[in-house]
Amino acid sequence: MTTFRLATWNVNSIRSRLDRVLNWLDRADIDVLAIQETKCRDDQFPMERFDEAGYEVAHVGFNQWNGVAIASRVGLEDIELHFPGQPGFDKDAGASLLSAPVVEARALGATCGGVRVWSLYVPNGRALDDPHYTYKLEWLAALRDTGARWLAEDAEARIALVGDWNIAPTDDDVWSPEFFAGKTHVSQPERDAFAAMTEAGFSDVLRPFAPGPGVYTYWDYTQLRFPRKEGMRIDFILASPALATVTTDAAVDRDERKGKAPSDHAPVIAEFELP
């Protein structure tokens, strides 16, 4: 058996938090890290520093927005810059965004140590009446269809869909359901879209190890949200059946939200015992 440690972290600018990320990778003994919100172009990503730390990196980023990466010390193969059917976004699009010309830097796949890892930065949605909300729902529907097809083609595939999903799937995943009423991240269509991923066969591997309310991965910088424990759980590791059944541990490293200039997200870690 081989122990495989996978993590996901919205770092909110890799260049601003490079030392913090590299130090954490060493301390936490992570094999593969999926990164979101790198906020840089490919030529700006600090590849050399990761290489010095023993990690290969795949990255897709077009400008100062979005950006996703995978850093692996157990191999990095079959890199895909977008998942099949990934919608683009055009704020001036009509009824459908599926044919919009701009496919954003929000999804990156690679095979690492026998596990197919997808680093995902799901669209925020912005507001319930914003075109970005429609885009978010279509993006999630496309991911669900693609994920279901992967599992239909190979029921034993080890797939991890990980990242910042920008959805709190239950009331336990927010500090105050009343505060978030009428806003994105908690609307029923978004929660239904997340539930559709589990119905397609992907499991939230954290919950069995961290049940109940108060388990969060994101705290807004404003209003002292972190010290007041007013957070949301919006970062997830969703595993295919063949991977979920070999999960041995999972946790949120809340300490990484502390200290000087942290990201507003904390890493989520899962450990698997692979045959």
Side-chain angles (χ1 to χ4, degrees):
M1 302 292 282
T2 300
T3 301
F4 180 88
R5 285 176 61 79
L6 170 65
T8 182
W9 194 359
N10 179 324
V11 298
N12 192 15
S13 176
I14 187 60
R15 291 178 291 172
S16 298
R17 297 179 175 85
L18 177 59
D19 288 340
R20 185 173 195 133
V21 170
L22 291 175
N23 289 337
W24 180 79
L25 279 172
D26 182 56
R27 293 196 315 275
D29 191 26
I30 300 299
D31 293 309
V32 180
L33 173 63
I35 308 170
Q36 300 85 44
E37 273 205 281
T38 60
K39 293 186 175 180
C40 65
R41 302 188 308 268
D42 288 346
D43 63 307
Q44 296 173 316
F45 192 95
M47 295 286 185
E48 290 184 4
R49 293 287 304 279
F50 277 86
D51 183 65
E52 292 168 359
Y55 288 84
E56 298 178 82
V57 176
H59 175 260
V60 57
F62 305 131
N63 47 44
Q64 74 272 29
W65 308 110
N66 309 323
V68 288
I70 298 172
S72 172
R73 66 181 186 185
V74 292
L76 193 70
E77 301 173 339
D78 301 325
I79 297 166
E80 288 184 78
L81 300 188
H82 312 290
F83 65 81
Q86 181 177 329
F89 178 64
D90 182 349
K91 65 182 177 63
D92 298 320
S96 176
L97 301 169
L98 292 173
S99 60
V102 180
V103 179
E104 297 179 308
R106 292 185 176 275
L108 179 70
T111 300
C112 310
V115 177
R116 188 66 177 166
V117 177
W118 280 90
S119 181
L120 305 170
Y121 181 38
V122 175
N124 178 283
R126 299 177 184 168
L128 299 184
D129 59 352
D130 193 289
H132 210 259
Y133 180 77
T134 302
Y135 167 52
K136 179 178 189 175
L137 295 178
E138 293 194 353
W139 202 97
L140 288 162
L143 178 61
R144 176 206 61 216
D145 292 346
T146 298
R149 186 171 70 252
W150 288 332
L151 294 183
E153 293 170 350
D154 183 2
E156 297 303 313
R158 298 172 184 160
I159 304 171
L161 305 179
V162 310
D164 178 357
W165 290 73
N166 273 314
I167 300 172
T170 74
D171 284 352
D172 279 352
D173 298 309
V174 294
W175 67 271
S176 169
E178 293 76 19
F179 176 84
F180 289 101
K183 300 177 182 178
T184 60
H185 293 55
V186 301
S187 72
Q188 197 58 52
E190 290 167 286
R191 287 180 167 181
D192 290 345
F194 189 90
M197 297 303 304
T198 62
E199 292 164 4
F202 293 90
S203 301
D204 171 10
V205 300
L206 176 65
R207 262 303 181 218
F209 299 92
V215 179
Y216 306 133
T217 64
Y218 165 84
W219 300 260
D220 196 298
Y221 288 127
T222 65
Q223 304 296 315
L224 298 175
R225 294 294 185 210
F226 182 69
R228 293 167 61 177
K229 301 181 180 180
E230 296 176 350
M232 307 175 72
R233 190 170 78 104
I234 58 176
D235 302 85
F236 298 89
I237 296 176
L238 298 189
S240 64
L243 190 59
T245 55
V246 295
T247 309
T248 56
D249 196 13
V252 178
D253 191 345
R254 190 177 182 275
D255 286 345
E256 284 305 310
R257 181 59 174 80
K258 301 175 182 177
K260 183 179 179 181
S263 170
D264 44 3
H265 295 250
V268 181
I269 310 164
E271 186 172 290
F272 308 92
E273 287 294 325
L274 303 180

